[in-house]
Amino acid sequence: MGNKQTIFTDEQLDAYQDCTFFTRKEILRLHGRYHELAPHLVPMDYTNEPDCKVPLALIVNMPELKENPFRNRIVESFSEDGMGNLSFNEFVDMFSVLSEMAPRELKAIYAFKIYDFNVDNYLCKEDLEKTLNRLTKEELTPEEVQLVCEKAIEEADLDGDSKLSFADFENMITRAPDFLR
Amino acid sequence: MQLRRRRQSRPAIRDFSRSARPSIRGYGMEVDSTDAEVSKRDRLVNNLQNLSVSDRVRMLRGMPLSVAEKSELSQIPCCSQLKYYIIIGARHSWYSWLNFLHSLQLWQVALKTVSGRFGTGVLSYFLFLKTLLFFNFFLFLVTGAFMVLPQAVHPPVLPAGRSSFSGLELLTGAGYFSDTVMYYGYYSNYTLRKSCRDDGGVQNVSLSNGTRLDCVSKHLSYNMPLAYFFTIGVAFFITCIILVYSMSKSFGQSFRIDKSHSILAMKVLCSWDFKVIKKTSVKLMSENISTQLKELLAEVNQKHVKNTACQKLWRLMVHGLAWTICIGSTTACVLKLQQSSRIADNNLLLTEASLLALPVVVSLINLLLPGLFNLAAWMEDYESPSVRTYVAICRNLMLKVSVLGLLCYHWLGRVAADPEDIGLKCWESFVGQELYRFLLMDFIFTLLDTLFGEFLWRLKVLKRRRKPVFDIARNVLELIYGQTLAWLGVLFTPLLPAVQIIKLFLLFYIKKSSVMMNCQAPRKPYRVSQMTTVFITLLCFPSFLGASVCVTITMWSITPSSSCGPFRELKTMFQAGKRWVEELEKDNPNLSVLARAHSYLVENPFFLFVGAGIFLIVIYFHSQVVDGQRKIISLLQEQIENVRHHLNTVYTALCNYEDNYKTN
């Protein structure tokens, strides 16, 4: 474990350690994984902060995300352009929030974004229907899906606008101790 | 009534950068719409700078901002060059220390593989195992540093006729091992002093308190009885604090005002386990969630079918029968154990192999009876899987508590009370050896159970189509049982934590390979955080509390053997501390206050009762406060419902009014 790495400057590594839940070794390992995704795109030397983004299609093929039904939404909610192309900062950010050390409140914020398919800051009925279809892989009939989503909104909606705002979502999360990732 | 549209006091969320929404509230940002983004950021930076370094880092990490934005916010203002460099240096060294700690992390890859395939439920068993390993490691360090090492460096004069090493020692713990640093009997009851430098040949001459010797090193002396007494006391005390702390933390996280107001919503949005990576497990999880949702829908739609009185009676009878079987079998086993322990007493020194009889019987009981309980539960056919798990835990717990209770009574009540009756010179070493044997047999039987229970499926002996499911609750209870034995035995066998560490280490790898090769992911939903809380509570309450009560009774009221160990010639082990205080008082009369305080506070049981009473009262008050807060929360929720209802009515009224106004 020497200080001989030339990928990042020390200030960059310290800044990463300040802003994420990762240690220095993990950040270097993450950079290795990021580089593996697109070796011709990602430079090994990050000291002058190159501006390169790995496309969505390559990121969702990572073994951690491959089988996850929400993989596209996860990557999209961390990307600046909303299309799922992640720079290294966004990549680190994503794994930091998904790691075990991130507090539940932070995960709740991003979970809301992931389930919000039409990106309007509300979980409306269509968002819930899409979520449910991905969860159950089309095992429920469309009528059952409709019914479940209606009931879910009825149960959790506190301000009566028939869609779930973040406040409603957060309120429900606090009652579910098993909201772990 | 005039309706005024309230101006938005917050800027629209879509005005924030993408990854900054939705919630920056709570970070000290009360913004007006007139403020530009720059001044918002300045205010945030100001708020951050007013915090201490660790608070700042924690808040930074918890913010839902992108890393680029956060790193801008985390710039330290250049107040003075020196202060800047000091902060940078401190931060650097802190991170290096964290990196070092992190590289010591045990089993990271193995845990990730298990959770990738089986999810958080099975992972919680392995995490519990890891926690127990750390407890034992701590115990081992403390006893090793303060008891084992000093005594090993200054070996006492041993009696002649020590048996040579034969392989059986590893199983029975007796024979060659009985006169080693492993057991209580080896430890000296005097102050260890370093040898004189003139006497090159005589190594480590130790004095007893009375005789004098020509050359005595004034500095390096080590009061063995005192060290023994205090090490055990302090180790137990620190373990207690750590346990209570983790239990309360776990409670805080998992205790929610449940009452299923939003079951469906929670199922849809909160039940996906993101740790699972493997394709087949993901498919299984989807199927599970679909099944649960269908069941919930059916429940919500239909009215609950009322059982007729006849059915209720039948169910009651079945439950009664099952409980009778369980309690009956437990009682029968415990009585048989009592009988065989009495026989074992009489045949004690017959052969070394016969010493293994009692542990084998106990381990067999622990192995077979839970199977019987499972059969009874299958007959009862519970609807709710969580009720079934709780009932299984209750029955298992009852069995283990009775067995351990009987064993403690047998050792402390019979063996310790009358050791000459059975022909024992050193009953503490004997009890230590018994505990070693029990621990070892427990491990061997768990091994056999894993091999035959789970590997047998592979050979298709039982002709089952589906792989067995890993029974988390039963395995965790076995871990707790083993840990109770280890805690009971630390007083008599200071090296027992080391044995337990080796056992847990091997157990991890055995269970992991068994689970990966032979088991399938659990089908029933498993509430991880609730179960983890239950297990930590069980570790704290029956397990640790029972062990510490036994150890306290031993130290307080049982006469130690007169011919071995660090407390011979004392009435009770506790006298070692008392004697030290008296000596201190003799040497330094100014400390008489301490001696008097010691005699009034610590020895007088009245003080302990008062202390325990105050403690209980404080706990009672806190629980009442928590209850009250819970009531307030449900009242507030009712209020929210009422307000929503009210708003709906007002809105409908307004719409009607507008319609009427338009038509008129």
Side-chain angles (χ1 to χ4, degrees), chain B residues 40-142:
Chain B
K40 250 186 272 159
R41 231 197 60 198
D42 286 340
R43 214 175 302 186
L44 190 54
V45 170
N46 269 332
N47 283 330
L48 280 176
Q49 281 170 18
N50 290 336
L51 299 170
S52 72
V53 177
S54 56
D55 279 342
R56 210 183 88 233
V57 166
R58 205 182 332 134
M59 205 151 110
L60 257 185
R61 283 178 179 169
M63 280 188 184
L65 303 171
S66 75
V67 168
E69 288 164 3
K70 277 195 232 184
S71 52
E72 279 176 21
L73 288 172
S74 73
Q75 298 296 330
I76 304 168
C78 241
C79 26
S80 82
Q81 281 291 75
L82 183 65
K83 195 170 171 194
Y84 179 76
Y85 281 123
I86 291 177
I87 294 180
I88 291 281
R91 197 166 75 163
H92 210 70
S93 47
W94 173 246
Y95 283 141
S96 318
W97 168 244
L98 277 185
N99 270 311
F100 170 70
L101 273 187
H102 198 77
S103 61
L104 296 176
Q105 282 233 4
L106 202 53
W107 295 326
Q108 256 189 329
V109 177
L111 290 175
K112 261 236 151 30
T113 349
V114 168
S115 70
R117 194 150 138 203
F118 294 102
T120 5
V122 175
L123 182 70
S124 67
Y125 167 78
F126 290 96
L127 287 177
F128 193 78
L129 209 158
K130 198 166 136 177
T131 320
L132 285 183
L133 193 74
F134 286 132
F135 273 120
N136 284 303
F137 191 66
F138 161 73
L139 260 182
F140 172 62
L141 277 179
V142 170

